[in-house]
Protein backbone atom coordinates (compact mmCIF):
# COMPACT_ATOMS: atom_id res chain seq x y z
CA UNK A 1 0.00 0.00 0.00
CA UNK A 2 1.47 3.33 -1.07
CA UNK A 3 1.10 6.69 0.57
CA UNK A 4 -1.51 7.85 -1.95
CA UNK A 5 -3.89 5.05 -1.02
CA UNK A 6 -4.66 7.02 2.10
CA UNK A 7 -6.09 9.85 0.03
CA UNK A 8 -7.77 7.46 -2.38
CA UNK A 9 -9.65 5.72 0.42
CA UNK A 10 -10.91 9.09 1.61
CA UNK A 11 -12.76 9.69 -1.61
CA UNK A 12 -13.85 6.05 -1.99
CA UNK A 13 -17.10 6.53 -0.09
CA UNK A 14 -18.28 9.17 -2.54
CA UNK A 15 -17.20 7.46 -5.76
CA UNK A 16 -19.99 6.51 -8.10
CA UNK A 17 -19.06 2.82 -7.72
CA UNK A 18 -19.64 2.96 -3.97
CA UNK A 19 -22.95 4.72 -4.50
CA UNK A 20 -23.86 1.90 -6.89
CA UNK A 21 -22.88 -0.72 -4.32
CA UNK A 22 -24.92 0.92 -1.56
CA UNK A 23 -27.99 1.22 -3.76
CA UNK A 24 -27.68 -2.38 -4.92
CA UNK A 25 -27.28 -3.75 -1.42
CA UNK A 26 -30.50 -2.07 -0.33
CA UNK A 27 -32.63 -3.03 -3.34
CA UNK A 28 -31.32 -6.59 -3.49
CA UNK A 29 -31.98 -7.16 0.22
CA UNK A 30 -35.48 -5.75 -0.21
CA UNK A 31 -36.25 -7.93 -3.23
CA UNK A 32 -34.85 -11.04 -1.56
CA UNK A 33 -37.12 -10.58 1.45
CA UNK A 34 -40.13 -10.19 -0.85
CA UNK A 35 -39.11 -13.29 -2.77
CA UNK A 36 -39.14 -15.42 0.34
CA UNK A 37 -42.61 -14.41 1.45
CA UNK A 38 -45.41 -16.87 0.76
CA UNK A 39 -47.87 -16.18 -2.06
CA UNK A 40 -50.81 -15.69 0.32
CA UNK A 41 -49.18 -12.80 2.20
CA UNK A 42 -50.46 -9.89 0.05
CA UNK A 43 -54.06 -11.14 0.25
CA UNK A 44 -53.80 -11.85 3.95
CA UNK A 45 -52.42 -8.36 4.45
CA UNK A 46 -55.38 -6.87 2.61
CA UNK A 47 -57.88 -8.87 4.66
CA UNK A 48 -56.25 -7.87 7.93
CA UNK A 49 -56.38 -4.24 6.84
CA UNK A 50 -60.08 -4.64 6.04
CA UNK A 51 -60.78 -6.05 9.50
CA UNK A 52 -58.88 -3.24 11.23
CA UNK A 53 -60.75 -0.71 9.11
CA UNK A 54 -64.06 -1.93 10.52
CA UNK A 55 -62.98 -0.41 13.83
CA UNK A 56 -60.32 2.20 13.13
CA UNK A 57 -59.71 4.48 10.21
CA UNK A 58 -56.33 3.49 8.80
CA UNK A 59 -54.79 3.68 5.37
CA UNK A 60 -53.04 0.84 3.54
CA UNK A 61 -49.64 2.31 4.34
CA UNK A 62 -50.44 2.35 8.07
CA UNK A 63 -50.37 -1.43 8.25
CA UNK A 64 -47.09 -3.24 7.71
CA UNK A 65 -46.83 -6.99 7.64
CA UNK A 66 -43.53 -8.75 7.54
CA UNK A 67 -42.61 -12.40 7.71
CA UNK A 68 -39.15 -13.16 9.09
CA UNK A 69 -37.71 -16.62 8.80
CA UNK A 70 -34.92 -17.59 11.13
CA UNK A 71 -33.51 -21.10 11.57
CA UNK A 72 -36.42 -22.94 13.10
CA UNK A 73 -39.18 -20.40 13.51
CA UNK A 74 -41.06 -17.86 11.44
CA UNK A 75 -42.28 -14.62 12.93
CA UNK A 76 -45.20 -12.75 11.44
CA UNK A 77 -44.82 -9.14 12.44
CA UNK A 78 -47.88 -6.92 12.26
CA UNK A 79 -47.33 -3.21 12.70
CA UNK A 80 -50.36 -0.93 12.79
CA UNK A 81 -49.95 2.80 13.09
CA UNK A 82 -53.16 4.05 14.72
CA UNK A 83 -54.33 7.57 13.93
CA UNK A 84 -54.14 10.31 16.58
CA UNK A 85 -57.11 10.34 18.94
CA UNK A 86 -57.71 14.05 18.65
CA UNK B 1 -30.30 -37.80 -17.65
CA UNK B 2 -27.64 -38.69 -15.13
CA UNK B 3 -24.74 -38.98 -17.54
CA UNK B 4 -24.21 -35.53 -18.96
CA UNK B 5 -23.71 -32.43 -16.86
CA UNK B 6 -26.20 -29.72 -17.83
CA UNK B 7 -24.86 -26.17 -17.53
CA UNK B 8 -27.07 -23.13 -18.06
CA UNK B 9 -25.48 -19.83 -19.01
CA UNK B 10 -27.93 -17.20 -17.82
CA UNK B 11 -28.15 -13.57 -16.66
CA UNK B 12 -31.61 -12.04 -16.78
CA UNK B 13 -30.33 -8.92 -18.47
CA UNK B 14 -29.57 -8.92 -22.19
CA UNK B 15 -26.30 -7.97 -23.81
CA UNK B 16 -24.04 -8.98 -20.93
CA UNK B 17 -22.26 -11.75 -22.84
CA UNK B 18 -24.30 -14.95 -22.43
CA UNK B 19 -23.82 -16.21 -25.97
CA UNK B 20 -20.17 -15.12 -26.09
CA UNK B 21 -19.62 -16.97 -22.81
CA UNK B 22 -21.58 -20.07 -23.91
CA UNK B 23 -19.52 -20.28 -27.09
CA UNK B 24 -16.23 -19.73 -25.27
CA UNK B 25 -16.90 -22.09 -22.37
CA UNK B 26 -18.44 -24.81 -24.55
CA UNK B 27 -15.42 -24.66 -26.83
CA UNK B 28 -13.06 -24.70 -23.85
CA UNK B 29 -14.70 -27.79 -22.35
CA UNK B 30 -14.55 -29.56 -25.72
CA UNK B 31 -10.87 -28.64 -26.04
CA UNK B 32 -10.36 -30.51 -22.76
CA UNK B 33 -11.55 -33.65 -24.50
CA UNK B 34 -15.17 -33.76 -23.30
CA UNK B 35 -17.94 -34.30 -25.82
CA UNK B 36 -19.95 -31.08 -25.60
CA UNK B 37 -23.09 -29.63 -27.16
CA UNK B 38 -24.17 -26.00 -26.93
CA UNK B 39 -27.92 -25.42 -27.28
CA UNK B 40 -29.34 -22.04 -28.26
CA UNK B 41 -32.57 -21.52 -26.28
CA UNK B 42 -33.27 -18.08 -27.75
CA UNK B 43 -36.26 -19.01 -29.91
CA UNK B 44 -36.93 -16.32 -32.49
CA UNK B 45 -33.58 -14.58 -31.97
CA UNK B 46 -31.03 -17.19 -33.00
CA UNK B 47 -27.46 -15.94 -32.61
CA UNK B 48 -25.23 -18.70 -31.27
CA UNK B 49 -24.77 -19.93 -34.85
CA UNK B 50 -23.27 -16.55 -35.84
CA UNK B 51 -20.94 -16.42 -32.85
CA UNK B 52 -19.80 -19.98 -33.58
CA UNK B 53 -19.45 -19.25 -37.30
CA UNK B 54 -21.81 -21.99 -38.47
CA UNK B 55 -24.81 -19.86 -39.56
CA UNK B 56 -24.73 -21.14 -43.12
CA UNK B 57 -24.83 -24.75 -42.04
CA UNK B 58 -28.14 -24.56 -40.15
CA UNK B 59 -30.75 -26.84 -41.73
CA UNK B 60 -32.87 -28.07 -38.83
CA UNK B 61 -33.19 -26.58 -35.35
CA UNK B 62 -34.11 -27.30 -31.73
CA UNK B 63 -37.86 -26.85 -32.31
CA UNK B 64 -37.79 -29.14 -35.37
CA UNK B 65 -36.34 -31.85 -33.11
CA UNK B 66 -38.92 -31.22 -30.37
CA UNK B 67 -41.72 -31.44 -32.97
CA UNK B 68 -40.12 -34.59 -34.45
CA UNK B 69 -39.75 -32.91 -37.85
CA UNK B 70 -36.08 -33.82 -37.75
CA UNK B 71 -33.84 -36.17 -35.78
CA UNK B 72 -31.20 -34.90 -33.39
CA UNK B 73 -28.40 -36.08 -35.65
CA UNK B 74 -29.91 -34.10 -38.52
CA UNK B 75 -30.12 -30.92 -36.44
CA UNK B 76 -26.79 -31.08 -34.62
CA UNK B 77 -23.99 -29.12 -36.31
CA UNK B 78 -20.50 -30.48 -35.81
CA UNK B 79 -18.02 -27.69 -35.17
CA UNK B 80 -15.36 -27.48 -37.87
CA UNK B 81 -12.56 -26.17 -35.69
CA UNK B 82 -12.95 -27.96 -32.39
CA UNK B 83 -13.17 -31.71 -31.94
CA UNK B 84 -15.93 -33.06 -29.66
CA UNK B 85 -18.05 -29.92 -30.12
CA UNK B 86 -21.60 -29.67 -31.50
CA UNK B 87 -24.17 -26.88 -31.79
CA UNK B 88 -27.95 -27.18 -31.66
CA UNK B 89 -29.32 -23.94 -33.16
CA UNK B 90 -32.47 -22.16 -32.00
CA UNK B 91 -35.53 -21.94 -34.18
CA UNK B 92 -36.45 -18.64 -35.81
CA UNK B 93 -40.17 -19.29 -35.24
CA UNK B 94 -42.15 -16.56 -33.53
CA UNK B 95 -44.14 -19.13 -31.57
CA UNK B 96 -43.03 -18.59 -27.97
CA UNK B 97 -44.76 -21.77 -26.85
CA UNK B 98 -42.55 -23.93 -29.07
CA UNK B 99 -40.34 -24.99 -26.18
CA UNK B 100 -42.47 -27.39 -24.16
CA UNK B 101 -41.18 -28.87 -20.94
CA UNK B 102 -41.72 -32.42 -22.22
CA UNK B 103 -40.09 -31.58 -25.54
CA UNK B 104 -37.01 -30.01 -23.97
CA UNK B 105 -36.70 -32.88 -21.51
CA UNK B 106 -36.87 -35.48 -24.28
CA UNK B 107 -34.13 -33.75 -26.29
CA UNK B 108 -31.90 -33.32 -23.21
CA UNK B 109 -32.37 -36.98 -22.26
CA UNK B 110 -31.37 -38.11 -25.73
CA UNK B 111 -28.33 -35.80 -25.73
CA UNK B 112 -27.32 -36.96 -22.27
CA UNK B 113 -26.78 -40.50 -23.55
CA UNK B 114 -24.12 -39.30 -25.93
CA UNK B 115 -22.54 -36.16 -24.45
CA UNK B 116 -20.48 -35.28 -21.37
CA UNK B 117 -21.58 -31.65 -21.18
CA UNK B 118 -24.73 -29.86 -22.35
CA UNK B 119 -24.45 -26.06 -22.35
CA UNK B 120 -27.79 -24.25 -22.42
CA UNK B 121 -27.41 -20.71 -23.78
CA UNK B 122 -30.34 -18.87 -22.20
CA UNK B 123 -32.18 -15.96 -23.79
CA UNK B 124 -32.44 -12.71 -21.84
CA UNK B 125 -35.46 -12.09 -19.63
CA UNK B 126 -37.38 -14.44 -17.37
CA UNK B 127 -39.93 -15.73 -19.87
CA UNK B 128 -40.43 -19.27 -21.10
CA UNK B 129 -37.16 -19.61 -23.07
CA UNK B 130 -35.09 -18.52 -20.08
CA UNK B 131 -37.09 -20.74 -17.71
CA UNK B 132 -36.69 -23.77 -19.96
CA UNK B 133 -32.94 -23.14 -20.34
CA UNK B 134 -32.43 -23.28 -16.57
CA UNK B 135 -35.12 -25.78 -15.56
CA UNK B 136 -33.08 -28.98 -16.01
CA UNK B 137 -29.68 -27.52 -15.09
CA UNK B 138 -27.15 -29.04 -12.69
CA UNK B 139 -24.86 -26.01 -12.83
CA UNK B 140 -25.60 -22.34 -13.53
CA UNK B 141 -23.13 -19.79 -14.80
CA UNK B 142 -24.58 -16.37 -14.02
CA UNK B 143 -23.04 -13.87 -16.41
CA UNK B 144 -22.93 -10.40 -14.86
CA UNK B 145 -21.51 -7.03 -15.84
CA UNK B 146 -20.19 -4.74 -13.07
CA UNK B 147 -23.19 -2.44 -13.50
CA UNK B 148 -26.32 -1.90 -11.37
CA UNK B 149 -29.05 -3.28 -13.63
CA UNK B 150 -27.07 -6.38 -14.52
CA UNK B 151 -26.28 -7.19 -10.88
CA UNK B 152 -29.89 -6.73 -9.83
CA UNK B 153 -31.16 -8.96 -12.67
CA UNK B 154 -28.57 -11.60 -11.79
CA UNK B 155 -29.92 -11.68 -8.25
CA UNK B 156 -33.41 -12.12 -9.65
CA UNK B 157 -32.23 -15.04 -11.78
CA UNK B 158 -30.58 -16.59 -8.70
CA UNK B 159 -33.99 -16.46 -7.02
CA UNK B 160 -35.54 -18.28 -9.98
CA UNK B 161 -32.78 -20.91 -10.00
CA UNK B 162 -33.50 -21.53 -6.32
CA UNK B 163 -37.27 -21.79 -6.67
CA UNK B 164 -38.37 -22.61 -10.22
CA UNK B 165 -35.79 -25.18 -11.37
CA UNK B 166 -36.47 -28.91 -11.47
CA UNK B 167 -33.95 -29.47 -8.69
CA UNK B 168 -35.74 -26.90 -6.52
CA UNK B 169 -39.20 -28.27 -7.27
CA UNK B 170 -38.17 -31.82 -6.50
CA UNK B 171 -36.28 -30.83 -3.36
CA UNK B 172 -33.00 -32.16 -4.72
CA UNK B 173 -29.55 -30.74 -4.14
CA UNK B 174 -29.71 -27.15 -5.45
CA UNK B 175 -28.18 -26.02 -8.72
CA UNK B 176 -24.49 -25.21 -8.34
CA UNK B 177 -24.19 -21.45 -8.93
CA UNK B 178 -21.17 -19.67 -10.39
CA UNK B 179 -20.57 -16.00 -11.03
CA UNK B 180 -18.88 -15.00 -14.28
CA UNK B 181 -18.10 -11.29 -14.28
CA UNK B 182 -17.68 -9.99 -17.83
CA UNK B 183 -16.71 -6.67 -19.45
CA UNK B 184 -14.53 -5.83 -16.47
CA UNK B 185 -12.55 -2.64 -16.72
CA UNK B 186 -9.72 -2.54 -14.10
CA UNK B 187 -8.83 1.07 -14.82
CA UNK B 188 -12.37 2.28 -14.21
CA UNK B 189 -12.60 0.17 -11.06
CA UNK B 190 -9.44 1.82 -9.78
CA UNK B 191 -10.93 5.24 -10.48
CA UNK B 192 -14.05 4.32 -8.51
CA UNK B 193 -16.23 4.44 -11.62
CA UNK B 194 -17.07 0.76 -11.74
CA UNK B 195 -18.12 -1.90 -9.23
CA UNK B 196 -15.17 -4.11 -8.32
CA UNK B 197 -15.06 -7.92 -8.29
CA UNK B 198 -15.40 -7.94 -4.52
CA UNK B 199 -18.34 -5.48 -4.64
CA UNK B 200 -20.28 -7.82 -6.93
CA UNK B 201 -19.23 -10.87 -4.90
CA UNK B 202 -20.46 -9.14 -1.72
CA UNK B 203 -23.86 -8.43 -3.22
CA UNK B 204 -24.57 -11.69 -5.04
CA UNK B 205 -22.76 -13.95 -2.55
CA UNK B 206 -22.05 -16.82 -4.94
CA UNK B 207 -18.67 -18.36 -5.82
CA UNK B 208 -16.67 -16.60 -8.53
CA UNK B 209 -15.84 -18.66 -11.60
CA UNK B 210 -13.95 -15.98 -13.47
CA UNK B 211 -13.54 -12.37 -14.51
CA UNK B 212 -13.38 -11.55 -18.21
CA UNK B 213 -11.81 -8.17 -18.92
CA UNK B 214 -13.36 -5.81 -21.44
CA UNK B 215 -11.44 -6.66 -24.58
CA UNK B 216 -11.38 -5.73 -28.23
CA UNK B 217 -10.80 -9.39 -28.95
CA UNK B 218 -14.46 -10.19 -28.14
CA UNK B 219 -15.89 -8.06 -30.96
CA UNK B 220 -13.15 -9.22 -33.31
CA UNK B 221 -13.98 -12.83 -32.53
CA UNK B 222 -17.72 -12.37 -33.07
CA UNK B 223 -17.04 -10.49 -36.32
CA UNK B 224 -15.19 -13.55 -37.52
CA UNK B 225 -17.50 -16.17 -36.04
CA UNK B 226 -14.76 -17.64 -33.86
CA UNK B 227 -15.26 -18.25 -30.14
CA UNK B 228 -12.95 -15.80 -28.34
CA UNK B 229 -11.38 -18.59 -26.29
CA UNK B 230 -9.57 -19.69 -29.46
CA UNK B 231 -7.79 -16.31 -29.49
CA UNK B 232 -5.18 -17.57 -27.05
CA UNK B 233 -3.19 -14.32 -27.27
CA UNK B 234 -6.06 -12.18 -25.99
CA UNK B 235 -6.74 -11.45 -22.32
CA UNK B 236 -10.41 -12.37 -22.75
CA UNK B 237 -9.49 -15.68 -24.37
CA UNK B 238 -7.05 -16.52 -21.59
CA UNK B 239 -9.52 -15.46 -18.89
CA UNK B 240 -12.19 -17.77 -20.38
CA UNK B 241 -9.70 -20.65 -20.47
CA UNK B 242 -8.88 -19.99 -16.80
CA UNK B 243 -12.61 -20.15 -16.02
CA UNK B 244 -12.94 -23.49 -17.83
CA UNK B 245 -9.89 -24.83 -15.98
CA UNK B 246 -11.51 -23.82 -12.68
CA UNK B 247 -14.74 -25.59 -13.67
CA UNK B 248 -12.66 -28.71 -14.17
CA UNK B 249 -11.37 -28.34 -10.65
CA UNK B 250 -7.97 -26.83 -11.38
CA UNK B 251 -6.55 -23.93 -9.38
CA UNK B 252 -6.08 -20.78 -11.44
CA UNK B 253 -5.32 -17.41 -9.86
CA UNK B 254 -7.35 -14.48 -11.17
CA UNK B 255 -5.59 -12.48 -13.88
CA UNK B 256 -6.05 -9.14 -15.64
CA UNK B 257 -7.68 -7.43 -12.65
CA UNK B 258 -4.94 -4.87 -12.12
CA UNK B 259 -4.14 -1.80 -14.13
CA UNK B 260 -0.74 -2.30 -15.75
CA UNK B 261 1.92 -0.66 -13.66
CA UNK B 262 3.86 2.15 -15.23
CA UNK B 263 7.23 1.36 -13.69
CA UNK B 264 9.44 1.87 -10.70
CA UNK B 265 8.11 5.24 -9.57
CA UNK B 266 4.49 4.16 -9.67
CA UNK B 267 5.32 1.01 -7.75
CA UNK B 268 7.05 3.06 -5.09
CA UNK B 269 4.02 5.26 -4.62
CA UNK B 270 1.41 2.57 -4.44
CA UNK B 271 -0.50 -0.15 -6.17
Amino acid sequence: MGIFDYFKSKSASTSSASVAKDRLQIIVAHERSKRQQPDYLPQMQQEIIDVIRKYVKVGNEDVQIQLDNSDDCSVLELNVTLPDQN
Amino acid sequence: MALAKIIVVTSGKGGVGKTTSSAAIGTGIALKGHKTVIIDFDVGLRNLDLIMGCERRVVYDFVNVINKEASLSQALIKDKRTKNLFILPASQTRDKEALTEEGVQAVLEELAKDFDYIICDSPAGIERGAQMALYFADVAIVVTNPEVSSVRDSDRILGILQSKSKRAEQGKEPIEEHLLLTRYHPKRVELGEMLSVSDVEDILAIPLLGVIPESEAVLKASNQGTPVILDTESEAGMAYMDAVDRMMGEERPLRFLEVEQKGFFKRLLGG
Side-chain angles (χ1 to χ4, degrees):
Chain A
M1 184 154 170
I3 46 171
F4 284 154
D5 287 78
Y6 170 73
F7 300 103
K8 244 191 257 166
S9 63
K10 263 190 128 176
S11 64
S13 59
T14 54
S15 74
S16 66
S18 65
V19 173
K21 187 181 183 185
D22 292 344
R23 291 173 61 217
L24 272 169
Q25 277 175 325
I26 293 165
I27 190 67
V28 163
H30 177 72
E31 287 176 346
R32 277 184 195 157
S33 67
K34 282 230 153 154
R35 208 188 284 157
Q36 281 156 6
Q37 72 181 26
D39 297 337
Y40 60 74
L41 209 64
Q43 199 192 342
M44 188 174 78
Q45 174 161 5
Q46 192 53 53
E47 286 181 24
I48 290 172
I49 290 170
D50 292 343
V51 169
I52 295 169
R53 273 222 192 101
K54 276 167 63 181
Y55 304 93
V56 203
K57 206 178 158 208
V58 291
N60 277 6
E61 65 281 5
D62 296 327
V63 181
Q64 309 238 310
I65 295 183
Q66 203 181 324
L67 191 65
D68 288 320
N69 293 304
S70 53
D71 296 333
D72 53 354
C73 76
S74 302
V75 176
L76 184 72
E77 193 180 302
L78 180 65
N79 213 324
V80 186
T81 311
L82 294 172
D84 285 337
Q85 289 299 320
N86 37 10
Chain B
M1 250 198 267
L3 296 171
K5 197 166 229 184
I6 303 177
I7 302 173
V8 61
V9 178
T10 184
S11 71
K13 190 176 184 296
V16 298
K18 281 182 297 299
T19 302
T20 299
S21 299
S22 298
I25 289 169
T27 303
I29 294 174
L31 285 172
K32 296 242 156 210
H34 305 289
K35 197 170 177 191
T36 305
V37 56
I38 316 175
I39 308 177
D40 189 349
F41 273 77
D42 204 345
V43 171
L45 293 167
R46 169 162 82 208
N47 274 319
L48 178 69
D49 55 338
L50 268 181
I51 300 301
M52 293 297 297
C54 62
E55 67 277 9
R56 296 184 57 179
R57 295 165 61 208
V58 176
V59 183
Y60 294 109
D61 59 55
F62 192 12
V63 171
N64 290 142
V65 179
I66 287 175
N67 294 341
K68 302 201 163 65
E69 294 150 3
S71 68
L72 248 183
S73 54
Q74 285 177 303
L76 283 174
I77 302 171
K78 190 177 186 325
D79 192 86
K80 285 211 161 138
R81 287 171 298 250
T82 311
K83 234 184 106 185
N84 306 317
L85 182 61
F86 291 79
I87 292 101
L88 184 55
S91 163
Q92 288 289 46
T93 176
R94 289 164 67 185
D95 177 13
K96 287 280 166 199
E97 303 302 303
L99 293 181
T100 60
E101 189 181 311
E102 299 73 29
V104 172
Q105 177 163 357
V107 173
L108 290 177
E109 273 172 3
E110 202 178 333
L111 286 169
K113 291 179 199 156
D114 208 31
F115 284 87
D116 302 315
Y117 286 89
I118 301 172
I119 316 285
C120 302
D121 179 21
S122 173
I126 51 173
E127 302 298 314
R128 184 173 203 93
Q131 284 180 16
M132 279 299 112
L134 68 80
Y135 188 71
F136 298 98
D138 303 306
V139 177
I141 297 174
V142 180
V143 183
T144 307
N145 291 166
E147 177 272 327
V148 284
S149 53
S150 174
V151 175
R152 181 201 210 169
D153 290 357
S154 291
D155 191 69
R156 184 110 165 74
I157 280 290
L158 287 170
I160 294 173
L161 287 166
Q162 288 154 15
S163 63
K164 302 269 168 67
S165 63
K166 189 177 178 191
R167 280 174 174 272
E169 284 181 1
Q170 298 189 347
K172 289 194 185 149
E173 205 174 308
I175 293 176
E176 203 181 288
E177 297 158 343
H178 297 280
L179 172 64
L180 184 69
L181 200 56
T182 56
R183 311 200 70 163
Y184 196 72
H185 214 304
K187 178 92 198 149
R188 302 197 74 181
V189 172
E190 193 181 87
L191 291 169
E193 295 174 2
M194 182 179 266
L195 292 163
S196 69
V197 182
S198 61
D199 289 340
V200 181
E201 280 184 291
D202 281 353
I203 295 161
L204 294 180
I206 58 170
L208 182 67
L209 180 66
V211 181
I212 313 299
E214 175 79 62
S215 164
E216 291 171 11
V218 173
L219 181 59
K220 207 170 103 191
S222 77
N223 284 341
Q224 295 170 334
T226 316
V228 70
I229 200 167
L230 294 178
D231 184 351
T232 51
E233 305 285 295
S234 69
E235 291 192 349
M238 290 188 269
Y240 272 118
M241 203 62 230
D242 285 352
V244 170
D245 288 340
R246 289 186 199 107
M247 281 194 78
M248 300 295 143
E250 292 164 49
E251 292 259 343
R252 290 285 179 278
L254 290 169
R255 292 195 274 178
F256 318 119
L257 301 190
E258 304 293 329
V259 181
E260 249 176 72
Q261 298 297 328
K262 297 269 154 55
F264 172 74
F265 199 61
K266 178 102 190 267
R267 251 181 289 146
L268 184 74
L269 294 174

